[in-house]
Amino acid sequence: MTDLHVSWDEYHALIEQLALAVFQSGYAFDTVLCLARGGLRVGDVISRVYDKPLAILAASSYRDAAGTVRGRLDIAEYITATGGDIKGRLLLVDDLVDSGTTLTRVVEHLRQRFTSLVEIRTAVLWVKAGASFRPDYCVEYLAGNPWIHQPFEIYDSLRPEQLAARARSRRPPH
């Protein structure tokens, strides 16, 4: 399968579809927990739409070659959250399920460390065919294993000097 290129408009529409899928299921969660970095924007929008507290857990396995090479999975020790402790019903969001390792390990981590969680449901934009983890909610199932080019990935290889040059080229002459 060829690469999947996603525009900002398409990306936001997918997040809205995901929020609607959760709504239509009737799941009443207490907190949105997003996995940083890929799930940050997804979690932010869902938190705003549902007017629920947003919590953030950093987890990373893609860090080499401008975020295109998978390495060892690191899960942060702490969760950053407003609205008190993580408890009750949780909606765990990320952008995609690639192999399934990240969400599998994060769900295990949460169940071990936060015994006051009653239920954890997972929501993502995309699930790839080879994934070992099946989220509760997803917008698109990808039959192949395409590399997904998300609109914010331009910043993975953009450095401050390049950003400054780009900003200078956009300024109207005086």
Side-chain angles (χ1 to χ4, degrees), residues 114-172:
F114 298 92
T115 56
S116 59
L117 283 172
V118 174
E119 185 176 6
I120 301 170
R121 291 196 190 176
T122 54
V124 300
L125 303 178
W126 301 281
V127 175
K128 291 186 179 182
S132 61
F133 184 94
R134 292 291 180 244
D136 298 289
Y137 309 99
C138 103
V139 179
E140 292 184 354
Y141 176 81
L142 303 173
N145 188 26
W147 183 259
I148 303 168
H149 297 272
Q150 298 185 52
F152 50 82
E153 289 177 358
I154 61 166
Y155 300 108
D156 286 339
S157 58
L158 183 68
R159 297 298 158 250
E161 302 79 21
Q162 296 165 310
L163 184 60
R166 192 165 84 177
R168 282 190 301 272
S169 71
R170 289 183 178 160
R171 285 191 198 131

Side-chain angles (χ1 to χ4, degrees), residues 49-85:
V49 168
Y50 281 88
D51 193 25
K52 295 291 183 180
L54 177 64
I56 302 167
L57 176 63
S60 177
S61 61
Y62 285 95
R63 64 180 67 74
D64 296 326
T68 61
V69 177
R70 188 182 348 211
R72 182 177 60 89
L73 176 64
D74 291 324
I75 300 173
E77 185 174 344
Y78 300 103
I79 292 175
T80 299
T82 59
D85 294 336

Side-chain angles (χ1 to χ4, degrees), residues 6 11 43 56 103 106 157:
V6 182
Y11 183 74
I56 302 167
L103 281 175
V106 168
S157 58

Side-chain angles (χ1 to χ4, degrees), residues 3-15:
D3 289 2
L4 175 61
H5 294 267
V6 182
S7 71
W8 278 114
D9 286 343
E10 292 165 329
Y11 183 74
H12 288 118
L14 289 166
I15 295 172

